[in-house]
Amino acid sequence: MATDIDKFVHDQLSVWPVVAAKYRALKSARTRTLPYGGLLVTLQSNPGRMPIFDHGCPLCEENYMEHQHTLPFEGRKGRKYNILVNRAPIFPNHLVITRDLHVPQTIWHRFPDMLDLAASLDNYIVFYNSPNSGTTVPGHAHFQACPKGYMPLERAAERILREVAAGGQSQDAEFICATRDAQLFHYKRFNRGIFFLRAQTAKSMANQFYRLLDCLNLVAEETEPRFNAFAYCSEGEYRAVVTLRGANRPSCYYAKGEDHFAISPGAADMAGFVVVPEVADFPRITAEVLQQIYEDVTLSEAEEKRLLWRLVRTQPRIEVGICAGEQMRFEIISDGAGPQTVTLQEGRIDYNGVLYDELVFEAATISTLFAEPSFILYADQMPRYYAGTLKFIVERGKVRAVNQLGMEDYLLSVVSQFPREQQRAQAILIRRSFTHLMPVYVPEQRQPYIGLTEKTDAAARAAIDETWGQLE
């Protein structure tokens, strides 16, 4: 698609004079560099960055400007996108890739589309601003893209990931964990909360990426964590950079007088390419000002420490009896086969006409955070959702459903049933009571266990998360 993109940009600018002037101005834009955090940060004086918005949402087709054209791109599950030339460019061939529908900016379910874009746009890097993390249009889902090599953090990531791919190690990046063929590294320079990822497949990359986000705390009333993400392909694999944030804008953005700088960091700024839209600010930015800008918008030291702990912690697996009967209905969520039935026949488990002594439906349980539902049991015709592995055994003349899952996932169900002021203490108490029993099967009568229901709440999650693994 790269050849098509180059031609598309050339043809678009040849008939769109107002935006073509902005791209010509980029060629003579003033730049300078400042050393910071082990990188040489680029400052770009770019008064033309002020966006051109006529009316309404600028990413909706009905509000496109005169002469503005599109190139189609199709994502996963029929999601359609329009590739546009960016009206307010930072880079040559600066693109916006926008959904054809007016839907909110979110990365959930769309990161595979971002990876597909990266694979299609050879020699380009695709990037994303989460809401309240530098995007100017949070109400309309979109990505951006530009030719590779302009952003200092991008270059550092590529150097380090090339070293890793060649079998080496880097002193600047620490290996954190792996999910199948995807690896996650913590970059120890520049700013807090920077991670590099590499994977052979888009699926593994997406799993590792979402796992990272799952370990972050949500700001109240926000739909996803604050971050900027970059994805590209190199040496036959997918590679990505994630910069995690604590705030949208620095204090200097709101300051008055000489303390004011009109810097509102987006993805490029967080990757070391700082855009300065006001001409008077450009010569005034020092290393000290730059440091304060980054300190204001990145993760705190405590937040980064908590995140790193969540990424590497584990939870022991336990077995919990759920319910029993001569016949049981269940559904494995991921296989799409719908409700199934097991019955007791001749002292064994009958499933689709085949008899079993024991029947197991495995599910991968992420050990560092709370798992999502993997199966449903229909008890008294009411569906109940559970995380982890489902196992059927024969017990006392009945088919017994047993749940194999992480201890902390189990606690989420049980602790949610206690008053909030007791949840922290109960998490520790119940966890301690299991230490003498694991990995012995625990009957359902020991503790009320109802799976992942509407009774699981944020307070219980917080109580378990804060006491994870504690016995005292």
Side-chain angles (χ1 to χ4, degrees):
M1 182 183 279
T3 302
D4 293 339
I5 287 292
D6 292 341
K7 183 179 185 303
F8 168 71
V9 174
H10 178 272
D11 291 347
Q12 176 68 102
L13 296 183
S14 68
V15 298
W16 198 6
V18 65
V19 173
K22 290 178 173 283
Y23 280 85
R24 285 196 300 271
L26 282 182
K27 296 178 181 179
S28 57
R30 288 190 298 162
T31 62
R32 63 189 182 95
T33 58
L34 283 175
Y36 172 78
L39 299 181
L40 201 58
V41 173
T42 297
L43 305 180
Q44 182 194 66
S45 179
N46 190 344
R49 178 61 177 160
M50 299 300 182
I52 307 170
F53 291 171
D54 292 340
H55 60 277
C57 173
L59 301 184
C60 286
E61 292 187 45
E62 60 267 25
N63 297 324
Y64 287 173
M65 297 179 67
E66 184 182 5
H67 308 303
Q68 189 168 16
H69 300 158
T70 68
L71 195 65
F73 178 82
E74 185 163 343
R76 306 286 179 96
K77 297 185 177 180
R79 288 187 290 268
K80 298 184 185 301
Y81 295 84
N82 292 327
I83 299 177
L84 310 171
V85 169
N86 197 312
R87 303 182 188 185
I90 301 173
F91 310 106
N93 284 28
H94 191 165
L95 306 174
V96 176
I97 303 93
T98 175
R99 274 300 310 272
D100 64 336
L101 303 174
H102 187 77
V103 292
Q105 177 81 329
T106 176
I107 201 64
W108 303 117
H109 306 298
R110 295 196 182 106
F111 189 63
D113 296 345
M114 186 175 175
L115 297 175
D116 290 348
L117 271 166
S120 299
L121 296 173
D122 191 29
N123 296 321
Y124 278 72
I125 184 169
V126 182
F127 49 102
Y128 171 87
N129 299 317
S130 72
N132 296 310
S133 296
T135 182
T136 55
V137 193
H140 196 125
H142 66 284
F143 306 110
Q144 296 182 63
C146 72
K148 292 177 181 177
Y150 282 95
M151 293 174 274
L153 181 60
E154 168 205 347
R155 297 194 295 268
E158 177 62 2
R159 173 180 56 81
I160 288 171
L161 293 178
R162 281 180 179 269
E163 291 178 6
V164 171
Q169 294 182 340
S170 173
Q171 295 182 344
D172 295 335
E174 176 188 11
F175 171 77
I176 300 298
C177 57
T179 302
R180 295 185 179 179
D181 61 87
Q183 295 178 317
L184 178 70
F185 301 86
H186 176 223
Y187 187 52
K188 297 185 289 185
R189 309 193 71 176
F190 193 47
N191 287 311
R192 290 184 294 271
I194 298 177
F195 292 85
F196 300 157
L197 301 87
R198 60 184 292 258
Q200 296 298 314
T201 64
K203 182 176 181 179
S204 293
M205 175 66 88
N207 286 341
Q208 187 67 272
F209 171 80
Y210 286 128
R211 181 171 178 267
L212 172 62
L213 294 192
D214 282 342
C215 288
L216 289 166
N217 282 349
L218 271 179
V219 177
E221 299 182 359
E222 293 190 5
T223 56
E224 68 183 27
R226 295 175 177 178
F227 70 96
N228 306 99
F230 311 78
Y232 64 99
C233 290
S234 179
E235 298 183 311
E237 66 181 26
Y238 294 93
R239 293 176 180 173
V241 179
V242 179
T243 61
L244 306 176
R245 302 174 63 135
N248 187 18
R249 287 171 171 158
S251 58
C252 67
Y253 184 88
Y254 304 100
K256 304 295 183 182
E258 293 185 356
D259 293 331
H260 171 76
F261 290 89
I263 306 294
S264 182
D269 309 81
M270 298 302 290
F273 194 96
V274 178
V275 180
V276 187
E278 293 187 3
V279 175
D281 290 344
F282 184 70
R284 298 195 304 122
I285 296 179
T286 63
E288 291 73 23
V289 170
L290 187 64
Q291 179 178 0
Q292 190 59 56
I293 289 172
Y294 281 130
E295 282 289 326
D296 286 349
V297 298
T298 55
L299 287 184
S300 69
E301 185 175 351
E303 289 170 329
E304 183 183 63
K305 183 178 179 180
R306 179 173 54 198
L307 170 63
L308 291 171
W309 168 64
R310 285 175 173 169
L311 286 168
V312 299
R313 69 189 183 185
T314 60
Q315 56 174 316
R317 286 172 66 86
I318 61 173
E319 291 192 346
V320 182
I322 304 175
C323 54
E326 294 184 359
Q327 177 175 291
M328 303 193 66
R329 293 179 70 236
F330 69 98
E331 182 176 349
I332 305 302
I333 296 173
S334 61
D335 66 12
Q340 304 290 310
T341 302
V342 292
T343 58
L344 184 68
Q345 293 287 344
E346 302 174 6
R348 303 177 74 190
I349 302 164
D350 184 346
Y351 175 59
N352 289 337
V354 180
L355 297 180
Y356 298 86
D357 293 320
E358 180 179 285
L359 185 60
V360 179
F361 296 90
E362 291 284 356
T365 301
I366 297 175
S367 61
T368 58
L369 55 135
F370 300 111
E372 294 296 319
S374 57
F375 68 90
I376 306 170
L377 277 181
Y378 295 90
D380 300 324
Q381 303 304 313
M382 294 294 293
R384 287 185 176 177
Y385 290 76
Y386 297 84
T389 292
L390 171 62
K391 180 170 75 171
F392 292 107
I393 63 173
V394 176
E395 179 187 78
R396 299 176 183 176
K398 294 183 178 180
V399 176
R400 164 72 71 178
V402 179
N403 190 189
Q404 297 177 335
L405 76 167
M407 166 64 78
E408 311 299 326
D409 293 318
Y410 168 78
L411 287 176
L412 183 60
S413 170
V414 178
V415 169
S416 293
Q417 301 173 61
F418 289 91
R420 293 192 176 188
E421 63 273 13
Q422 299 179 20
Q423 289 176 346
R424 185 184 177 94
Q426 285 295 332
I428 296 173
L429 178 64
I430 297 170
R431 192 182 291 119
R432 185 168 63 236
S433 72
F434 268 81
T435 58
H436 303 297
L437 298 172
M438 293 185 297
V440 177
Y441 156 70
V442 181
E444 60 179 317
Q445 291 84 0
R446 179 174 175 80
Q447 292 286 347
Y449 176 54
I450 55 177
L452 305 178
T453 71
E454 67 280 356
K455 291 186 178 181
T456 60
D457 59 22
R461 293 173 71 93
I464 298 166
D465 182 60
E466 292 167 5
T467 66
W468 190 283
Q470 293 181 21
L471 303 177
E472 301 292 340

